[in-house]
Amino acid sequence: AKAMASNKRKHLIGRGILSRDCEDAAAAMAVMRSNWTSDSLRVLIDYRDVMPRIEIVAENQLLLDGLWEWNVTCGGESLSAEGPWELNCLESETVATYFEIRAPLAGGFQIERSITLSCVDHVLVFADTITKRDRKNSEELLGYSSSIPVVQHINVEPALESREIFLSDTSVRGVAMPLALPEWRAGGGKGDFVSKDGTLSLSQQGMGRLFAPLWLDVESHRLGEQLTWRQITVADARINVPPSMASGHRVQVGIDQWLLYRALDAPRNRTLLGFNTSGEYVLGRITPDGTVQRTIEIP
């Protein structure tokens, strides 16, 4: 039986089978999945229009479906898109996929929209990054908001004192966390994360550049565990850098911990939590001995 299965597998590989992640630039669509089982974590994104459409399925349950809307302002004035979305990066590794599209905005700005899918951890990171197209900084106040529709049969349950939001039906299906905002509502912060008209709605402010990550954990064995997240200090040549240059985050659910990093200026060698990277984007697992095991890294 093993020999027959092996021969069949070789036969399929020889003929060519679909990749786990597929993208068609002409159709402006992409599909990502954690594996080929029927209960895999799956993402579909259609970016033909200014407001991309997104669909998220976890364990055969449709959780999010509809227009992934966004709005960016500079000094109170709305920044409209000046061109279509274009594929900026698709990195498909054994344990994770990173997908990013980019569109030019008025005033010399751009929006980079990314989705990271961790195949092993069953975690999704949705993020919008707002920068100048020439990567230069500015002192202008940026405002940002986005929303993702939750399907009607899924209940949206915000925590009472903290900012995470739970998605559930007969059981908890997922938990969403706005990593660039303080965990506790009493801690203030320049923005908010709420359930509004059947959507997950995130708002933030930043000076010159802005990174807005939204963490969605859909791993069933972790849901219900205690959780926390913190924005952490990033250092460059032993000097702390502001959030307009680089953004670092630590996430913990139960005993599992992760590190997330995004450079907003030109990538340089930087350090956070004792971890060094020269990449633009890193998602990694924090191991019990405190070291970081890279899940995916984008140069």
Side-chain angles (χ1 to χ4, degrees):
K2 289 182 179 179
M4 291 177 62
S6 177
N7 289 335
K8 182 177 181 182
R9 193 178 302 115
K10 290 178 181 178
H11 177 63
L12 289 172
I13 293 172
R15 292 179 60 185
I17 60 174
L18 286 174
S19 169
R20 193 190 69 218
D21 306 307
C22 305
E23 195 275 342
D24 188 323
M29 297 184 71
V31 178
M32 294 158 275
R33 56 195 304 146
S34 58
N35 54 55
W36 279 106
T37 63
S38 60
D39 61 349
S40 65
L41 174 58
R42 303 191 294 276
V43 178
L44 167 68
I45 182 166
D46 174 347
Y47 56 97
R48 288 173 291 181
D49 298 323
V50 173
M51 300 299 172
R53 185 176 186 87
I54 192 167
E55 178 184 293
I56 307 296
V57 177
E59 296 187 349
N60 281 324
Q61 292 290 330
L62 182 62
L63 300 180
L64 308 176
D65 182 24
L67 296 182
W68 182 5
E69 298 187 352
W70 60 271
N71 182 63
V72 178
T73 62
C74 179
E77 297 293 327
S78 182
L79 299 180
S80 59
E82 293 190 330
W85 293 101
E86 294 182 348
L87 179 66
N88 196 34
C89 180
L90 177 57
E91 187 75 21
S92 183
E93 303 289 349
T94 303
V95 296
T97 298
Y98 180 84
F99 169 84
E100 184 178 274
I101 52 178
R102 176 174 57 194
L105 302 180
F109 286 89
Q110 66 180 4
I111 177 171
E112 294 170 297
R113 170 159 282 188
S114 66
I115 303 171
T116 309
L117 187 156
S118 175
C119 306
V120 177
D121 293 326
H122 289 178
V123 163
L124 290 166
V125 184
F126 308 101
D128 283 333
T129 305
I130 314 301
T131 61
K132 285 280 192 176
R133 291 197 288 276
D134 60 10
R135 288 295 185 178
K136 293 182 179 179
N137 197 16
S138 72
E139 298 301 320
E140 299 165 294
L141 177 64
L142 294 176
Y144 163 85
S145 63
S146 68
S147 63
I148 305 178
V150 181
V151 296
Q152 288 186 348
H153 69 273
I154 296 294
N155 299 316
V156 183
E157 304 174 12
L160 294 177
E161 297 181 340
S162 49
R163 283 194 166 95
E164 69 269 20
I165 294 178
F166 296 92
L167 306 178
S168 65
D169 48 16
T170 57
S171 60
V172 179
R173 297 291 181 179
V175 58
M177 295 171 264
L179 301 188
L181 296 178
E183 176 183 356
W184 301 100
R185 295 188 181 278
K190 297 180 179 179
D192 208 353
F193 182 51
V194 298
S195 169
K196 183 179 179 182
D197 299 328
T199 68
L200 299 178
S201 297
L202 174 65
S203 62
Q204 284 184 217
Q205 289 184 350
M207 294 299 297
R209 305 185 186 103
L210 182 148
F211 179 54
L214 181 61
W215 182 279
L216 179 63
D217 189 347
V218 295
E219 177 53 67
S220 56
H221 84 264
R222 278 195 304 266
L223 298 176
E225 297 284 344
Q226 290 188 331
L227 58 86
T228 187
W229 70 90
R230 292 289 184 275
Q231 192 157 5
I232 54 180
T233 300
V234 178
D236 186 332
R238 294 183 292 182
I239 298 175
N240 294 345
V241 301
S244 62
M245 294 175 65
S247 190
H249 309 269
R250 181 180 69 86
V251 183
Q252 181 171 356
V253 182
I255 61 172
D256 295 329
Q257 296 191 64
W258 299 266
L259 176 142
L260 179 68
Y261 169 80
R262 180 61 152 91
L264 280 75
D265 58 357
R268 291 168 47 88
N269 184 44
R270 287 177 172 145
T271 304
L272 61 164
L273 287 183
F275 171 76
N276 286 86
T277 179
S278 297
E280 182 176 79
Y281 178 93
V282 179
L283 173 64
R285 284 290 299 261
I286 302 175
T287 63
D289 64 3
T291 59
V292 176
Q293 181 179 20
R294 289 171 173 85
T295 300
I296 196 162
E297 183 171 13
I298 307 301

